[in-house]
Amino acid sequence: MGQTKLDANSELNPNLKEVAQGKRRNFRFAFGCAILASMTSILLGYDIGVMSGAAKYIKKDLKLTDVEVEILLGILNLYSLVGSFAAGHTSDWVGRRYTIVFAASIFFVGALLMGFAMNYAFLMFGRLIAGIGVGYALMIAPVYTAEVSPASARGFLTSFPEVFINSGILLGYVSNYAFSHLSYHLSWRFMLGIGAVPSVLLGVLVLFMPESPRWLVLQGRLKDAKLVLSKTSDTLEEAELRLADIKRAAGIPESCDDDVVTVNKNSHGEGVWKELLLRPLPAVRRILLTAVGIHFFQQASGIDSVVLYSPTIFEKAGIHSDNAQLGTTVAVGFTKTMFILIATVFLDRVGRRPLLMASIGGMIVCLASLGLGLTVIGRHGDEKIDWAVALCIASVLFYVAFFSIGLGPITWVYTSEIFPLRLRAQGAAIGVAVNRVTSGVITMTFLSLEKAITIGGSFFLYGGVAVAASVFYYFCLPETRGKTLEETCKLFGLNTDEVQEEGDVQMVKANETGAKVAN
């Protein structure tokens, strides 16, 4: 196998360009792996969707205040920090696949605890357990999918976690509508408890997935990695080139053809936090700040407030019937899911940047329109302003549509692409942590914020944040479409050999007699 040269100014490694023109024999297998891994994200989506409606019945049943409801809805995001940080180490230690199984198991326990909760404290404990599972799921799904996907379809496949988040939200909305006819003592318990079902199916199905080839290389299991790459690459030639790139990034000589090599250290993530946070290279610092920024602005622009509090928004807009509110909310979930499917088609055709800029531009207009409509309705008291009500509903629907075609999926796609191999799991974990903290702050302050500056003023504020986000995206995010994961690092000025030297990886390979020989 010859040397593989990476050109940061080309869309694809020239050799990969050539082999990618061949018949794409294995796309179905990579597609299946991405589907199964991304299904983990349905856990977060279901919780977001179901809590938007369940909160009304929980508040009645447990006689909660607005502040207690805010905390209940938003605290899962902070609890998920435990899972997201633990997932970085867990996925480096036991592998990406078993980390997904672990995430599903934890959420299963949390969903049951919430369903059987008899008081606020018990419900909060269930939220803690479920939140840890969500943190694991959010971190591992895009990382695994990016590592198993061929470059030609990575944007399409890596957007699947967002597809399943939206599918989960829609299922949560449907669950709200389905169980809303029960007494409020039972309705919210069925809404939350039924969330245990998808986690069981997920935990079983994931066992049929292969392990990430990049994790296998880091463990020295070259034969296993080559087998997985042969199944998930467009051609066998591309599989060999991808393996060469990964071995070079992991510090293993490309000429090494042994089935198994033993890596002395840094194979389970040791020293990574130092390289990310304490002594980062300038390019690593830029990558980390880019990941933090895109995750922060995704949530700070108000998406969770719109999704979680959509019944409240529609009530403020003049829709007072519970069934009408939940029915309109289902329309929001349906719109969000449909447009994320559209985004998956164009991510690898149009590119990340064009979709992202179109997305944030549309969101700014919709937030301004929603703020205007709610302000007009608020100033007219009980008088119904039909055009303002229609404007509010249309603004919410278009807002989630614009979010779903760009900012929603690209945040996860981009973060999974830009970190070098050794730093990928923990780097993604930091991005998820910022995402969840920001989401927690937004959701736990929305009701208080709308009382302080009115609900219309709240969405004008989110619109201002979206304007700042558009500036950040324009200047800080290079295009990654069509590039291998090893090439994307060079867009930020990072030579992967520098990361390897910093990590001081020592590799020992086994000779034919089984003795270990240091390289």
Side-chain angles (χ1 to χ4, degrees):
M1 191 184 309
Q3 287 282 344
T4 301
K5 299 294 183 182
L6 299 180
D7 181 4
N9 295 317
S10 65
E11 282 196 347
L12 277 172
N13 180 321
N15 294 322
L16 287 181
K17 271 186 178 179
E18 181 178 346
V19 299
Q21 294 173 357
K23 186 179 179 181
R24 299 174 64 181
R25 295 172 295 180
N26 301 308
F27 178 73
R28 290 182 181 179
F29 187 81
F31 180 86
C33 292
I35 286 285
L36 289 176
S38 302
M39 281 178 63
T40 317
S41 302
I42 206 169
L43 304 178
L44 172 64
Y46 184 82
D47 186 88
I48 292 174
V50 80
M51 285 302 293
S52 69
K56 296 170 68 72
Y57 303 100
I58 295 172
K59 183 177 181 180
K60 291 179 182 178
D61 189 20
L62 302 182
K63 298 178 174 59
L64 304 182
T65 65
D66 283 346
V67 173
E68 288 174 322
V69 171
E70 282 182 326
I71 294 174
L72 179 66
L73 266 61
I75 199 67
L76 180 131
N77 298 298
L78 302 185
Y79 289 155
S80 67
L81 295 179
V82 179
S84 62
F85 278 118
H89 180 73
T90 303
S91 65
D92 279 341
W93 187 260
V94 303
R96 303 345 187 189
R97 185 176 62 153
Y98 287 113
T99 301
I100 294 174
V101 175
F102 192 48
S105 302
I106 296 174
F107 189 85
F108 172 78
V109 174
L112 289 182
L113 289 174
M114 289 190 293
F116 286 104
M118 301 306 296
N119 54 51
Y120 187 69
F122 199 125
L123 185 56
M124 288 291 283
F125 179 68
R127 298 287 282 167
L128 169 62
I129 303 302
I132 294 174
V134 165
Y136 267 92
L138 279 177
M139 176 268 160
I140 196 59
V143 168
Y144 174 89
T145 306
E147 292 185 345
V148 82
S149 302
S152 62
R154 192 177 61 247
F156 173 65
L157 297 178
T158 314
S159 64
F160 282 5
E162 184 68 16
V163 172
F164 280 99
I165 289 176
N166 284 276
S167 300
I169 291 172
L170 180 57
L171 287 176
Y173 288 160
V174 172
S175 177
N176 287 337
Y177 192 79
F179 294 113
S180 63
H181 303 289
L182 300 176
S183 69
Y184 60 79
H185 297 289
L186 293 176
S187 58
W188 66 268
R189 290 184 170 87
F190 275 95
M191 293 172 185
L192 299 182
I194 203 72
V197 174
S199 60
V200 174
L201 297 175
L202 175 64
V204 173
L205 292 174
V206 166
L207 295 175
F208 294 95
M209 289 166 34
E211 185 51 82
S212 158
R214 286 174 169 81
W215 183 82
L216 291 171
V217 169
L218 283 180
Q219 309 313 304
R221 295 164 56 183
L222 302 185
K223 181 179 179 181
D224 292 339
K226 187 174 183 178
L227 180 61
V228 175
L229 286 169
S230 70
K231 292 181 178 180
T232 58
S233 298
D234 290 338
T235 66
L236 291 178
E237 292 83 359
E238 182 187 353
E240 293 180 356
L241 291 167
R242 288 175 68 189
L243 180 61
D245 286 346
I246 297 169
K247 286 196 294 187
R248 191 165 68 87
I252 298 174
E254 294 179 30
S255 59
C256 177
D257 291 324
D258 292 348
D259 291 345
V260 178
V261 297
T262 303
V263 181
N264 274 350
K265 67 178 192 174
N266 286 339
S267 60
H268 299 301
E270 296 88 341
V272 169
W273 292 115
K274 179 177 70 175
E275 296 176 46
L276 275 172
L277 300 175
L278 299 181
R279 291 194 309 165
L281 296 168
V284 171
R285 186 183 299 113
R286 183 185 171 196
I287 291 171
L288 182 61
L289 291 176
T290 300
V292 167
I294 193 170
H295 275 285
F296 169 78
F297 283 118
Q298 185 200 49
Q299 295 300 326
S301 55
I303 183 61
D304 277 1
S305 290
V306 172
V307 173
L308 270 172
Y309 294 102
S310 53
T312 302
I313 295 170
F314 293 133
E315 182 178 9
K316 295 286 186 179
I319 302 174
H320 299 294
S321 165
D322 283 355
N323 284 341
Q325 289 173 14
L326 295 177
T328 311
T329 300
V330 170
V332 172
F334 182 78
T335 301
K336 205 168 184 294
T337 303
M338 289 300 100
F339 276 87
I340 186 64
L341 293 175
I342 294 173
T344 62
V345 175
F346 289 100
L347 270 169
D348 288 313
R349 297 181 181 181
V350 177
R352 283 51 158 167
R353 279 178 59 88
L355 283 178
L356 193 60
M357 298 310 299
S359 172
I360 195 66
M363 288 168 61
I364 292 170
V365 173
C366 292
L367 287 168
S369 300
L370 181 57
L372 174 63
L374 290 169
T375 299
V376 170
I377 291 171
R379 289 182 176 178
H380 285 78
D382 295 331
E383 183 183 353
K384 187 174 182 180
I385 312 295
D386 291 334
W387 69 265
V389 174
L391 179 63
C392 289
I393 295 174
S395 296
V396 170
L397 294 175
F398 277 103
Y399 172 80
V400 298
F402 276 112
F403 178 86
S404 293
I405 64 167
L407 186 52
I410 290 174
T411 296
W412 305 103
V413 171
Y414 209 85
T415 306
S416 68
E417 292 178 327
I418 60 177
F419 285 100
L421 174 60
R422 263 181 34 78
L423 311 182
R424 186 168 298 134
Q426 281 86 345
I430 292 174
V432 171
V434 172
N435 188 289
R436 293 298 88 198
V437 168
T438 308
S439 176
V441 171
I442 294 296
T443 54
M444 288 194 292
T445 58
F446 179 74
L447 295 179
S448 300
L449 183 67
E450 66 100 356
K451 287 182 179 178
I453 63 173
T454 73
I455 191 168
S458 300
F459 288 106
F460 282 130
L461 177 61
Y462 294 145
V465 174
V467 171
S470 67
V471 176
F472 174 81
Y473 298 149
Y474 184 81
F475 288 105
C476 298
L477 273 67
E479 180 60 68
T480 59
R481 177 174 68 96
K483 292 179 169 53
T484 68
L485 292 180
E486 284 64 45
E487 283 181 302
T488 55
C489 299
K490 290 193 172 185
L491 297 174
F492 294 86
L494 179 67
N495 184 338
T496 52
D497 293 336
E498 293 181 275
V499 180
Q500 187 56 45
E501 291 170 5
E502 287 287 310
D504 190 27
V505 173
Q506 298 177 5
M507 191 266 291
V508 176
K509 68 178 181 180
N511 63 18
E512 293 180 358
T513 64
K516 293 179 180 179
V517 182
N519 284 330

PDB file of all heavy atoms in Angstrom, residues 90 94-103 206-207 211:
ATOM      1  N   THR A  90     -16.005   6.410  28.184  1.00  0.00           N
ATOM      2  CA  THR A  90     -16.583   5.081  27.998  1.00  0.00           C
ATOM      3  C   THR A  90     -16.401   4.601  26.566  1.00  0.00           C
ATOM      4  O   THR A  90     -16.040   3.440  26.323  1.00  0.00           O
ATOM      5  CB  THR A  90     -18.084   5.091  28.344  1.00  0.00           C
ATOM      6  OG1 THR A  90     -18.259   5.542  29.680  1.00  0.00           O
ATOM      7  CG2 THR A  90     -18.670   3.702  28.217  1.00  0.00           C
ATOM      8  N   VAL A  94     -14.579   1.041  26.044  1.00  0.00           N
ATOM      9  CA  VAL A  94     -15.284  -0.194  25.669  1.00  0.00           C
ATOM     10  C   VAL A  94     -15.736  -0.173  24.213  1.00  0.00           C
ATOM     11  O   VAL A  94     -16.238  -1.181  23.709  1.00  0.00           O
ATOM     12  CB  VAL A  94     -16.509  -0.449  26.573  1.00  0.00           C
ATOM     13  CG1 VAL A  94     -16.104  -0.512  28.025  1.00  0.00           C
ATOM     14  CG2 VAL A  94     -17.585   0.616  26.365  1.00  0.00           C
ATOM     15  N   GLY A  95     -15.593   0.959  23.537  1.00  0.00           N
ATOM     16  CA  GLY A  95     -16.000   1.043  22.140  1.00  0.00           C
ATOM     17  C   GLY A  95     -17.283   1.822  21.947  1.00  0.00           C
ATOM     18  O   GLY A  95     -18.055   2.031  22.882  1.00  0.00           O
ATOM     19  N   ARG A  96     -17.503   2.265  20.712  1.00  0.00           N
ATOM     20  CA  ARG A  96     -18.676   3.087  20.401  1.00  0.00           C
ATOM     21  C   ARG A  96     -19.966   2.264  20.520  1.00  0.00           C
ATOM     22  O   ARG A  96     -20.975   2.741  21.021  1.00  0.00           O
ATOM     23  CB  ARG A  96     -18.584   3.633  18.994  1.00  0.00           C
ATOM     24  CG  ARG A  96     -17.415   4.473  18.537  1.00  0.00           C
ATOM     25  CD  ARG A  96     -16.480   5.084  19.467  1.00  0.00           C
ATOM     26  NE  ARG A  96     -15.538   5.968  18.770  1.00  0.00           N
ATOM     27  CZ  ARG A  96     -14.483   6.507  19.326  1.00  0.00           C
ATOM     28  NH1 ARG A  96     -14.187   6.255  20.603  1.00  0.00           N
ATOM     29  NH2 ARG A  96     -13.694   7.320  18.647  1.00  0.00           N
ATOM     30  N   ARG A  97     -19.924   1.015  20.069  1.00  0.00           N
ATOM     31  CA  ARG A  97     -21.142   0.213  19.989  1.00  0.00           C
ATOM     32  C   ARG A  97     -21.716  -0.074  21.368  1.00  0.00           C
ATOM     33  O   ARG A  97     -22.913   0.124  21.612  1.00  0.00           O
ATOM     34  CB  ARG A  97     -20.855  -1.095  19.256  1.00  0.00           C
ATOM     35  CG  ARG A  97     -22.073  -1.947  19.019  1.00  0.00           C
ATOM     36  CD  ARG A  97     -21.752  -3.174  18.211  1.00  0.00           C
ATOM     37  NE  ARG A  97     -20.804  -4.045  18.899  1.00  0.00           N
ATOM     38  CZ  ARG A  97     -20.748  -5.359  18.706  1.00  0.00           C
ATOM     39  NH1 ARG A  97     -21.554  -5.931  17.831  1.00  0.00           N
ATOM     40  NH2 ARG A  97     -19.876  -6.087  19.343  1.00  0.00           N
ATOM     41  N   TYR A  98     -20.890  -0.540  22.296  1.00  0.00           N
ATOM     42  CA  TYR A  98     -21.401  -0.864  23.628  1.00  0.00           C
ATOM     43  C   TYR A  98     -21.789   0.385  24.421  1.00  0.00           C
ATOM     44  O   TYR A  98     -22.614   0.323  25.328  1.00  0.00           O
ATOM     45  CB  TYR A  98     -20.382  -1.704  24.401  1.00  0.00           C
ATOM     46  CG  TYR A  98     -20.301  -3.124  23.894  1.00  0.00           C
ATOM     47  CD1 TYR A  98     -19.147  -3.595  23.272  1.00  0.00           C
ATOM     48  CD2 TYR A  98     -21.386  -3.990  24.001  1.00  0.00           C
ATOM     49  CE1 TYR A  98     -19.080  -4.887  22.781  1.00  0.00           C
ATOM     50  CE2 TYR A  98     -21.325  -5.290  23.509  1.00  0.00           C
ATOM     51  CZ  TYR A  98     -20.175  -5.731  22.903  1.00  0.00           C
ATOM     52  OH  TYR A  98     -20.116  -7.014  22.413  1.00  0.00           O
ATOM     53  N   THR A  99     -21.209   1.517  24.049  1.00  0.00           N
ATOM     54  CA  THR A  99     -21.631   2.775  24.674  1.00  0.00           C
ATOM     55  C   THR A  99     -23.075   3.101  24.288  1.00  0.00           C
ATOM     56  O   THR A  99     -23.845   3.614  25.098  1.00  0.00           O
ATOM     57  CB  THR A  99     -20.692   3.920  24.257  1.00  0.00           C
ATOM     58  OG1 THR A  99     -19.357   3.597  24.654  1.00  0.00           O
ATOM     59  CG2 THR A  99     -21.101   5.238  24.926  1.00  0.00           C
ATOM     60  N   ILE A 100     -23.448   2.810  23.045  1.00  0.00           N
ATOM     61  CA  ILE A 100     -24.831   3.023  22.606  1.00  0.00           C
ATOM     62  C   ILE A 100     -25.785   2.115  23.377  1.00  0.00           C
ATOM     63  O   ILE A 100     -26.862   2.541  23.819  1.00  0.00           O
ATOM     64  CB  ILE A 100     -24.953   2.784  21.092  1.00  0.00           C
ATOM     65  CG1 ILE A 100     -24.148   3.838  20.320  1.00  0.00           C
ATOM     66  CG2 ILE A 100     -26.409   2.813  20.649  1.00  0.00           C
ATOM     67  CD1 ILE A 100     -24.103   3.599  18.824  1.00  0.00           C
ATOM     68  N   VAL A 101     -25.400   0.849  23.571  1.00  0.00           N
ATOM     69  CA  VAL A 101     -26.227  -0.072  24.355  1.00  0.00           C
ATOM     70  C   VAL A 101     -26.385   0.440  25.775  1.00  0.00           C
ATOM     71  O   VAL A 101     -27.484   0.406  26.364  1.00  0.00           O
ATOM     72  CB  VAL A 101     -25.600  -1.482  24.366  1.00  0.00           C
ATOM     73  CG1 VAL A 101     -26.394  -2.416  25.273  1.00  0.00           C
ATOM     74  CG2 VAL A 101     -25.540  -2.053  22.952  1.00  0.00           C
ATOM     75  N   PHE A 102     -25.312   0.946  26.343  1.00  0.00           N
ATOM     76  CA  PHE A 102     -25.344   1.481  27.707  1.00  0.00           C
ATOM     77  C   PHE A 102     -26.290   2.670  27.801  1.00  0.00           C
ATOM     78  O   PHE A 102     -27.069   2.800  28.746  1.00  0.00           O
ATOM     79  CB  PHE A 102     -23.926   1.875  28.125  1.00  0.00           C
ATOM     80  CG  PHE A 102     -23.776   2.179  29.588  1.00  0.00           C
ATOM     81  CD1 PHE A 102     -24.278   1.321  30.552  1.00  0.00           C
ATOM     82  CD2 PHE A 102     -23.119   3.332  30.004  1.00  0.00           C
ATOM     83  CE1 PHE A 102     -24.131   1.591  31.905  1.00  0.00           C
ATOM     84  CE2 PHE A 102     -22.968   3.618  31.344  1.00  0.00           C
ATOM     85  CZ  PHE A 102     -23.481   2.745  32.308  1.00  0.00           C
ATOM     86  N   ALA A 103     -26.252   3.554  26.793  1.00  0.00           N
ATOM     87  CA  ALA A 103     -27.145   4.722  26.772  1.00  0.00           C
ATOM     88  C   ALA A 103     -28.609   4.301  26.772  1.00  0.00           C
ATOM     89  O   ALA A 103     -29.431   4.854  27.516  1.00  0.00           O
ATOM     90  CB  ALA A 103     -26.842   5.585  25.546  1.00  0.00           C
ATOM     91  N   VAL A 206     -28.778  -2.612  18.272  1.00  0.00           N
ATOM     92  CA  VAL A 206     -27.412  -2.104  18.169  1.00  0.00           C
ATOM     93  C   VAL A 206     -26.386  -3.239  18.236  1.00  0.00           C
ATOM     94  O   VAL A 206     -25.278  -3.131  17.697  1.00  0.00           O
ATOM     95  CB  VAL A 206     -27.155  -1.059  19.278  1.00  0.00           C
ATOM     96  CG1 VAL A 206     -25.672  -0.762  19.439  1.00  0.00           C
ATOM     97  CG2 VAL A 206     -27.893   0.233  18.950  1.00  0.00           C
ATOM     98  N   LEU A 207     -26.734  -4.337  18.867  1.00  0.00           N
ATOM     99  CA  LEU A 207     -25.812  -5.459  18.975  1.00  0.00           C
ATOM    100  C   LEU A 207     -25.460  -6.059  17.612  1.00  0.00           C
ATOM    101  O   LEU A 207     -24.474  -6.795  17.491  1.00  0.00           O
ATOM    102  CB  LEU A 207     -26.406  -6.548  19.883  1.00  0.00           C
ATOM    103  CG  LEU A 207     -26.596  -6.138  21.351  1.00  0.00           C
ATOM    104  CD1 LEU A 207     -27.289  -7.254  22.121  1.00  0.00           C
ATOM    105  CD2 LEU A 207     -25.253  -5.803  21.995  1.00  0.00           C
ATOM    106  N   GLU A 211     -18.268  -2.552  15.119  1.00  0.00           N
ATOM    107  CA  GLU A 211     -17.596  -1.504  15.881  1.00  0.00           C
ATOM    108  C   GLU A 211     -17.011  -0.470  14.918  1.00  0.00           C
ATOM    109  O   GLU A 211     -16.786  -0.743  13.739  1.00  0.00           O
ATOM    110  CB  GLU A 211     -16.501  -2.126  16.759  1.00  0.00           C
ATOM    111  CG  GLU A 211     -15.791  -1.160  17.692  1.00  0.00           C
ATOM    112  CD  GLU A 211     -16.742  -0.326  18.531  1.00  0.00           C
ATOM    113  OE1 GLU A 211     -17.224  -0.815  19.554  1.00  0.00           O
ATOM    114  OE2 GLU A 211     -17.011   0.836  18.127  1.00  0.00           O
TER     115      GLU A 211
END
